[in-house]
């Protein structure tokens, strides 16, 4: 997510990088500001749904979909119409940004990166974005931010905002409002202070096992709060829907879900920060979490087997947050000058690291690995992490040889990527 700009100096040269980073804070709005933010989010949701419905109608008639410029003209007509005159009360730039989001959703669908755009639902991911930084003023000394048609809004200033403000997103989650300030700043090309490489085997019994023998125990955030959540959901189901007591019970359920997510994210940030600071190259499995956590219920004609056990395993897998952990590792290693390499997971838990014999008999139990050929015995997760590290070194060596080849031999790589890959090959193995 960062753009690299090379600035030449004679006789040496310096590589600088444009870093995009977001800073999220909890807002402390007044009652009137909360009502305005709900109205603005509702206006953006209405514009998105109306534009999406219009695009679907044109598609059913065999007509070409409208572009962003044509939708902006319709937005102006909607704001001036008597039926939807209330759209004029909302700032126009967030409404236009909503149309940009719809255009991007269509582009992701046609590029097969996402599903077809769906209509937005009230109360689910309510948000709106100010894309123009000229309309935003940030007063960090007084912990407040100025937003068009909202005025000065106070926020909980937990850390300093670094860089120039690019855009601001206001969102609601579990009854609270948050502001996300995206900034851009120029930093020097980081040089890793660590010189070691490590492989990581992800699991449920052990969250992350490293090739040096250490491991991170799982947190199981959802499992810890499962009883509280079950009781809160039962109490909510006994209330009359949309009554005041039902809304209070729903808010209680939302707070528990927010607690589960916050605890999990805190655990993942601490683990990924420790690994990214202590290692310059990290090798990890390219796990397909969606396929691994797919339901085993089957169909009426062909019912699944061990559905209850598979459901518990799926819940445990999703509770770990493997994808979020990988995402955090990727950008934190890039910030620290390291590199993240993903390898296919096939055969990593059944191959002996000593003799190379691969067989399902090498792992008779979930925890222990014993090679039937040479008798090597070790924890199964440690063996998997060692094999992942070796596969990462092999892939890194292939990328370096390809980068050093002629431009016609493959994809053109920048000097920074070649330098990073070549440095990673010389990293010592634990």
């Amino acid at each position: 997510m960062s753009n690299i700009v090379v600035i030449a100096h004679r006789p040496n040269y310096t590589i600088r990088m444009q870093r995009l980073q977001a800073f999220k804070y909890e807002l402390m709005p007044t009652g009137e500001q909360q009502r305005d933010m709900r109205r603005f989010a509702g206006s953006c949701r209405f514009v998105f749904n109306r534009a999406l419905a219009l695009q679907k109608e044109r598609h059913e008639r065999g007509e070409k979909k409208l572009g962003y410029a044509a939708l902006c003209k319709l937005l102006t007509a909607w704001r001036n119409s008597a039926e939807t005159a209330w759209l004029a009360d909302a700032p126009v730039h967030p409404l236009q940004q909503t149309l940009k989001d719809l255009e991007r959703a269509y582009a992701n669908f046609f590029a097969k990166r996402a599903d077809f755009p769906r209509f937005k639902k009230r109360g689910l991911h309510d948000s709106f974005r100010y894309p123009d930084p000229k309309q935003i003023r940030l007063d960090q000394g007084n912990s407040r931010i100025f937003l068009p048609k909202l005025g000065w809004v106070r926020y909980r200033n937990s850390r300093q905002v670094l860089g120039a403000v690019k855009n601001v997103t206001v969102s609601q989650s579990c009854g609270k409002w948050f502001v996300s300030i995206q900034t851009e700043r120029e930093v020097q090309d980081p040089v890793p202070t660590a010189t070691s490489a490590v492989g990581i085997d992800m699991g449920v019994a052990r969250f992350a096992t490293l090739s040096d023998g250490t491991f991170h125990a799982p947190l199981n955030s959802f499992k810890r709060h499962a009883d509280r959540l079950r009781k809160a959901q039962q109490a909510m189901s006994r209330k009359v829907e949309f009554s005041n007591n039902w809304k209070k019970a729903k808010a209680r359920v939302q707070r528990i879900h927010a607690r589960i997510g916050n605890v999990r994210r805190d655990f993942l940030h601490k683990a990924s920060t420790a690994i990214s600071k202590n290692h310059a190259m990290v090798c990890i499995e390219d796990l397909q979490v969606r396929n691994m956590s797919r339901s085993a219920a089957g169909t009426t004609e062909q019912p699944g087997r061990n559905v209850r056990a598979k459901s518990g395993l799926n819940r445990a897998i999703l509770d770990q947050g493997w994808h979020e952990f990988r995402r955090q590792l990727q950008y934190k290693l890039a910030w620290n000058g390291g590199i993240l390499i993903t390898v296919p997971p096939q055969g990593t838990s059944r191959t002996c690291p000593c003799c190379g014999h691969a067989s399902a008999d090498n792992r008779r139990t979930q925890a222990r690995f014993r090679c039937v050929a040479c008798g090597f015995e070790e924890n199964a997760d440690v063996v998997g992490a060692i094999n992942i590290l070796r596969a990462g070194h092999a892939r890194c060596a292939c990328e370096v040889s390809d980068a050093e080849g002629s431009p016609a031999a493959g994809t053109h790589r920048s000097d920074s990527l070649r330098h990073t890959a070549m440095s990673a090959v010389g990293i010592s193995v634990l």
Side-chain angles (χ1 to χ4, degrees):
M1 293 292 298
S2 55
N3 301 322
I4 298 178
V5 179
V6 180
I7 305 175
H9 299 281
R10 295 175 180 174
N12 300 323
Y13 67 91
T14 303
I15 299 179
R16 295 187 179 275
M17 179 173 56
Q18 299 293 336
R19 177 180 295 181
L20 297 176
Q21 187 174 0
F23 299 85
K24 189 174 182 179
Y25 306 93
E26 181 184 350
L27 289 174
M28 297 184 293
T30 62
E32 182 180 358
Q33 290 173 337
Q34 290 187 41
R35 289 189 293 270
D36 290 339
M37 288 189 291
R38 284 194 295 267
R39 289 193 299 110
F40 295 168
S43 299
C44 292
R45 181 176 61 253
F46 173 83
V47 170
F48 184 92
N49 292 341
R50 187 166 185 176
L52 179 57
L54 178 61
Q55 298 283 37
K56 294 183 70 174
E57 291 176 0
R58 293 178 62 88
H59 176 71
E60 292 174 357
R61 294 195 300 264
E63 300 177 2
K64 187 178 179 180
K65 78 177 186 70
L66 296 176
Y68 170 71
L71 290 177
C72 285
K73 292 181 180 179
L74 289 178
L75 175 61
T76 303
W78 296 342
R79 288 167 58 89
N80 296 329
S81 174
E83 296 179 357
T84 55
W86 45 271
L87 286 176
D89 297 335
V92 65
H93 285 177
L95 300 180
Q96 294 175 348
Q97 181 63 38
T98 300
L99 298 178
K100 288 184 180 180
D101 295 339
L102 178 60
E103 187 70 18
R104 188 181 300 110
Y106 265 101
N108 292 335
F109 168 72
F110 290 129
K112 298 182 179 180
R113 292 190 297 263
D115 295 334
F116 189 80
R118 293 180 293 181
F119 292 101
K120 292 188 176 182
K121 185 179 179 181
R122 180 182 179 183
L124 187 64
H125 306 299
D126 286 342
S127 64
F128 54 95
R129 177 178 298 173
Y130 293 96
D132 189 4
K134 297 179 181 179
Q135 296 184 338
I136 302 166
R137 284 181 287 173
L138 181 62
D139 185 6
Q140 299 188 62
N142 295 318
S143 303
R144 59 178 187 168
I145 184 172
F146 179 85
L147 301 174
K149 293 198 175 183
L150 283 176
W152 288 102
V153 186
R154 299 188 61 84
Y155 66 93
R156 297 186 183 276
N157 194 358
S158 56
R159 55 174 176 168
Q160 185 179 5
V161 177
L162 303 177
V165 177
K166 301 297 291 183
N167 59 69
V168 169
T169 302
V170 179
S171 60
Q172 185 185 31
S173 177
C174 302
K176 296 182 179 180
W177 287 94
F178 298 88
V179 59
S180 180
I181 306 172
Q182 188 181 54
T183 64
E184 182 181 18
R185 70 182 188 273
E186 188 178 85
V187 297
Q188 292 186 356
D189 188 32
V191 178
T193 57
T195 58
S196 61
V198 69
I200 301 179
D201 181 80
M202 309 302 298
V204 175
R206 288 183 174 185
F207 170 71
T209 303
L210 279 62
S211 56
D212 58 4
T214 62
F215 67 93
H216 293 265
L219 180 67
N220 297 327
S221 177
F222 182 85
K223 186 177 180 180
R224 290 187 176 186
H225 299 83
D227 290 339
R228 289 181 56 201
L229 181 61
R230 175 179 53 84
K231 294 178 182 178
Q233 289 175 336
Q234 287 179 349
M236 177 181 170
S237 65
R238 298 188 180 102
K239 303 293 188 299
V240 178
E241 194 172 7
F242 301 113
S243 64
N244 289 333
N245 289 334
W246 180 85
K247 292 179 181 179
K248 294 179 183 178
K250 181 181 178 181
R252 190 176 301 111
V253 173
Q254 290 178 335
R255 286 195 296 269
I256 297 176
H257 277 296
R259 176 66 177 174
I260 293 172
N262 292 336
V263 170
R264 183 187 294 118
R265 279 188 293 271
D266 178 73
F267 169 77
L268 295 178
H269 273 295
K270 291 178 179 177
S272 59
T273 299
I275 294 175
S276 61
K277 286 184 177 180
N278 297 328
H279 304 284
M281 186 177 79
V282 176
C283 305
I284 195 169
E285 293 175 296
D286 188 13
L287 297 176
Q288 304 298 322
V289 182
R290 178 176 296 182
N291 297 337
M292 296 175 63
S293 59
R294 185 172 296 169
S295 174
T299 61
T300 305
E301 295 78 10
Q302 296 180 350
R305 297 180 179 179
N306 300 325
V307 178
R308 187 179 183 87
K310 184 61 169 64
S311 176
L313 177 61
N314 294 346
R315 193 182 304 112
I317 290 175
L318 297 176
D319 195 14
Q320 305 306 315
W322 291 342
H323 184 271
E324 176 65 14
F325 178 71
R326 172 177 165 177
R327 186 192 69 85
Q328 293 179 10
L329 267 181
Q330 186 171 10
Y331 79 80
K332 290 181 181 180
L333 283 168
W335 286 359
N336 294 327
I339 182 175
L340 178 69
I341 298 178
T342 58
V343 300
Q346 290 79 11
T348 55
S349 61
R350 298 181 178 181
T351 304
C352 178
C354 290
C355 65
H357 178 70
S359 174
D361 297 333
N362 291 343
R363 190 173 181 178
R364 300 247 177 193
T365 62
Q366 183 68 22
R368 300 302 300 175
F369 178 95
R370 188 178 187 279
C371 181
V372 297
C374 66
F376 174 78
E377 188 174 358
E378 183 55 89
N379 182 277
D381 295 332
V382 176
V383 171
I386 295 174
N387 291 329
I388 292 170
L389 177 60
R390 291 186 175 181
H393 272 282
R395 179 176 179 181
C396 186
C398 294
E399 290 184 355
V400 171
S401 62
D402 182 51
E404 291 300 312
S406 61
T411 306
H412 174 71
R413 287 178 170 80
S414 62
D415 293 336
S416 60
L417 178 59
R418 183 184 296 116
H419 175 72
T420 304
M422 293 178 65
S423 302
V425 174
I427 296 174
S428 60
V429 182
L430 293 180

